[in-house]
Amino acid sequence: MPELPEVETTRIGLAAHIEKQQVKGLIIRQRQLRYPIPKSLDRQLPGQIIQTVTRRGKYLLVNCAAGHMIVHLGMSGCIRVVNAETKAAKHDHVDIIFTNGHVMRYNDPRRFGAILWSNDDPHNHPRLCSLGVEPLSRAFNTAYLHHASRSRRLAIKLFIMDSKVVVGVGNIYANEALFLAGIKPTRPANTLSREQYESLVSAIKQVLKAAIKCGGTTLKDFQSSDGKPGYFQQQLHVYGRGQQKCLQCHTRLTEIRLGQRSSVYCDHCQR
DNA sequence: ATGCGGACCTGTTAGC
DNA sequence: TGCTAACAGGTCCGCA
């Protein structure tokens, strides 16, 4: 579920429901996520009023006067806003209960996600302080990416998925952006031309924006509990289409593994 | 500094 | 049908 567009969609839905709301209490059923949920969260969050919900990469920041809750959804996490009567299901690890009766419920079967707490600027938190630029910001541009790639010989797909370079480009959208830009995922990063980086930057922005738009329209009703995937799926050109034909030239798509992740591309359209 | 492989954990699906 | 293996949207760490 969660690549950047899904996280951003979650952020928007969540913000609408919890901003300006006061935390009454919390229930932690499973403290052991990727990191143990710190006790400081239990101590400091109750009584707080949520000011804003922001995002840095795939981390959600729930900002209060006393500090900031930092939430990552990992591979399988999701957040829903439900009513207090809604019974907790399997893998519902944390509830943040608000005085208006709503509950922010964190569910994560694989527990690759995280819930942290920071008293200071969360951007200085060890998990966030080394992150690269935001893909939808102006700082993510041709000159930046081209320059950053000069010393890097690794496959371009792994390069754009490196969160120290740029955040939020996960496996699905890396595959899609490379297809749109006509670049083979295996090309060493330092062999691409400036022009190719220009296409790539624009493809990444385009793909992420389109997906956010999709998520935004289908997940509007955040109270409903059907976290259906598949909204952006109809628009995928290569991801999940290994062995099928290229939508542009009808060549059979190639599927390989790069960094233990599946990578699909068209040998004819991508150079 | 860079790049690679393994680790974390559960659920689902493909294959025998 | 039932079992096992492989794979799944993400990071982080340690070693070469």
Side-chain angles (χ1 to χ4, degrees):
Chain A
M1 221 176 305
E3 282 216 31
L4 185 135
E6 289 77 5
V7 176
E8 177 62 13
T9 300
T10 299
R11 186 193 69 74
I12 292 166
L14 193 56
H17 287 280
I18 73 170
E19 281 180 1
K20 305 204 170 57
Q21 295 301 318
Q22 183 174 33
V23 176
K24 188 167 154 193
L26 57 171
I27 299 172
I28 299 179
R29 301 182 188 83
Q30 168 62 275
R31 196 174 284 277
Q32 210 57 46
L33 302 182
R34 170 153 237 244
Y35 313 98
I37 296 172
K39 287 276 171 50
S40 50
L41 180 85
D42 316 27
R43 286 197 301 265
Q44 304 202 43
L45 191 58
Q48 290 296 303
I49 291 169
I50 309 304
Q51 296 173 333
T52 54
V53 182
T54 54
R55 179 183 62 72
R56 174 73 175 103
K58 292 174 188 164
Y59 290 90
L60 288 168
L61 306 176
V62 178
N63 307 297
C64 313
H68 311 264
M69 181 166 68
I70 301 171
V71 182
H72 198 289
L73 300 174
M75 294 267 256
S76 56
C78 73
I79 293 172
R80 302 217 177 95
V81 176
V82 298
N83 293 312
E85 306 86 58
T86 313
K87 279 216 298 198
K90 203 172 183 186
H91 306 303
D92 281 344
H93 304 312
V94 177
D95 282 359
I96 313 284
I97 303 157
F98 293 91
T99 53
N100 70 352
H102 286 180
V103 175
M104 167 181 160
R105 184 163 283 170
Y106 180 91
N107 177 290
D108 183 7
R110 288 177 76 178
R111 287 192 271 137
F112 281 4
I115 299 182
L116 304 165
W117 178 260
S118 164
N119 285 301
D120 312 312
D121 183 350
H123 297 96
N124 294 330
H125 188 278
R127 295 277 70 79
L128 308 196
C129 66
S130 316
L131 293 179
V133 301
E134 286 290 329
L136 298 177
S137 71
R138 294 177 62 176
F140 183 61
N141 56 44
T142 307
Y144 166 78
L145 200 60
H146 181 257
H147 182 250
S149 72
R150 294 307 83 189
S151 64
R152 308 294 299 272
R153 309 188 64 94
L154 84 168
I156 184 62
K157 176 160 177 272
L158 299 176
F159 178 64
I160 58 173
M161 290 177 71
D162 181 348
S163 64
K164 291 194 215 48
V165 175
V166 55
V167 295
V169 183
N171 196 39
I172 295 178
Y173 300 113
N175 279 296
E176 292 299 308
L178 286 164
F179 175 79
L180 286 190
I183 298 165
K184 204 166 284 190
T186 50
R187 285 280 300 277
N190 63 355
T191 65
L192 299 195
S193 68
R194 202 177 190 82
E195 288 68 34
Q196 287 180 303
Y197 275 109
E198 189 167 4
S199 310
L200 187 51
V201 165
S202 124
I204 289 171
K205 288 179 191 272
Q206 189 191 319
V207 141
L208 292 177
K209 279 185 196 163
I212 289 171
K213 222 173 199 177
C214 271
T217 52
T218 50
L219 289 184
K220 220 177 240 167
D221 185 7
F222 222 67
Q223 303 252 42
S224 84
S225 52
D226 50 28
K228 47 181 87 158
Y231 32 85
F232 191 68
Q233 259 170 17
Q234 304 96 325
Q235 298 182 39
L236 297 177
H237 293 90
V238 285
Y239 181 81
R241 298 195 65 245
Q243 301 308 309
Q244 298 180 49
K245 287 181 180 172
C246 173
L247 296 170
Q248 274 178 189
C249 76
H250 307 292
T251 301
R252 200 166 293 288
L253 295 174
T254 308
E255 178 155 18
I256 59 169
R257 296 193 78 74
L258 276 176
Q260 300 119 273
R261 314 300 293 278
S262 107
S263 309
V264 186
Y265 65 96
C266 173
D267 200 51
H268 178 257
C269 296
Q270 295 173 253
R271 299 286 154 163

